Amino acid sequence: MNHWADALRELVRRRGRSLLSLLSVVIAVAALVAVRAATDTTRAAYQRVFQALAGHADLEVVASGGGRFDQKILDAIRPLAGIRAVAPVFQRATILYAGNQRLKVLASGIVPDEPESLAGFKLASGKLPQGADELLLETGMADSLRLHLGEKVRLMTSRGIRPFKISGLVSLENAVRLQQGGMLLAPIAPLQGAFRAAGKVDALHLFLERGASVRQVEAEVARLLPEQLTVRVPSA
């Protein structure tokens, strides 16, 4: 009890010092709360980005040392119990030319007939690309370049600059802008050919049936893979 009385007398005698001490504690707590809030917000934003990139895949097959690999292994994986869909992933950083404008973009291959290949994206207008010379543009990039449906753009590929027609525009459902320059989607086979990587993919995204055991499916897939490939939960 005496300790409390002594503390109270000290507070009364040195009001300025006591006020400064109190303010320092308040400021420190506020700073910690602000840092925690900023960290949580940043983590949530990155998670949304990764979810759009990974397309909410449950598992992914990648090369153990990085790099591309033959997508034929997809045919052996698809029939396994518990797997709902398998989407090949092929991406390449390149340059898009629109009139006298040029922009660094991420070109991503899709399978138009496979809904999971477009997971994370929503067709905002137009139609999915069907021909080898058609592509989808991300809406933000199209707006910044003032591009519209049906217009033609050019894409730098390993086989030179090639023309493409804008068949549709897509928006990102679960993420902020993924690529500072922008993003485009095109049928995977023609895109692989344009970059001299026919039949090669960066990854395979596996989507499981509801209730399927991730660990069990992962073990089954691992038994089918050659040594240079590995199956894992997406790095996101």
Side-chain angles (χ1 to χ4, degrees), residues 89-147:
V89 178
F90 179 83
Q91 296 178 332
R92 188 65 179 264
T94 185
I95 299 176
L96 180 80
Y97 297 88
N100 58 359
Q101 303 178 90
R102 52 181 291 175
L103 188 69
K104 291 182 179 180
V105 299
L106 179 65
S108 182
I110 61 170
V111 181
D113 297 331
E114 175 55 73
E116 296 296 1
S117 187
L118 285 162
F121 299 96
K122 180 180 179 180
L123 185 65
S125 60
K127 62 182 181 66
L128 296 178
Q130 298 298 329
D133 62 343
E134 294 182 334
L135 54 74
L136 300 169
L137 288 186
E138 187 266 321
T139 52
M141 180 176 67
D143 290 341
S144 67
L145 296 176
R146 298 181 180 179
L147 293 172

Side-chain angles (χ1 to χ4, degrees), residues 120-182:
F121 299 96
K122 180 180 179 180
L123 185 65
S125 60
K127 62 182 181 66
L128 296 178
Q130 298 298 329
D133 62 343
E134 294 182 334
L135 54 74
L136 300 169
L137 288 186
E138 187 266 321
T139 52
M141 180 176 67
D143 290 341
S144 67
L145 296 176
R146 298 181 180 179
L147 293 172
H148 304 90
L149 295 176
E151 292 187 340
K152 289 191 175 183
V153 295
R154 293 169 295 150
L155 193 66
M156 175 65 75
T157 74
S158 299
R159 299 181 184 276
I161 298 177
R162 294 196 165 187
F164 287 84
K165 184 175 71 173
I166 304 172
S167 69
L169 302 176
V170 294
S171 58
L172 304 176
E173 291 187 303
N174 299 305
V176 295
R177 180 185 289 260
L178 300 183
Q179 193 76 0
Q180 184 176 0

Side-chain angles (χ1 to χ4, degrees), residues 24-104:
S24 65
V25 173
V26 171
I27 292 172
V29 172
L32 289 174
V33 172
V35 170
R36 177 61 182 271
T39 301
D40 290 345
T41 300
T42 301
R43 184 180 293 114
Y46 274 116
Q47 186 62 33
R48 290 194 297 271
V49 172
F50 290 138
Q51 285 176 346
L53 281 173
H56 303 288
D58 299 292
L59 292 169
E60 66 178 3
V61 174
V62 295
S64 302
R68 297 192 176 99
F69 58 92
D70 198 317
Q71 69 182 36
K72 288 182 180 179
I73 191 68
L74 182 152
D75 296 328
I77 295 174
R78 197 195 302 273
L80 290 178
I83 294 181
R84 173 167 52 87
V86 181
V89 178
F90 179 83
Q91 296 178 332
R92 188 65 179 264
T94 185
I95 299 176
L96 180 80
Y97 297 88
N100 58 359
Q101 303 178 90
R102 52 181 291 175
L103 188 69
K104 291 182 179 180

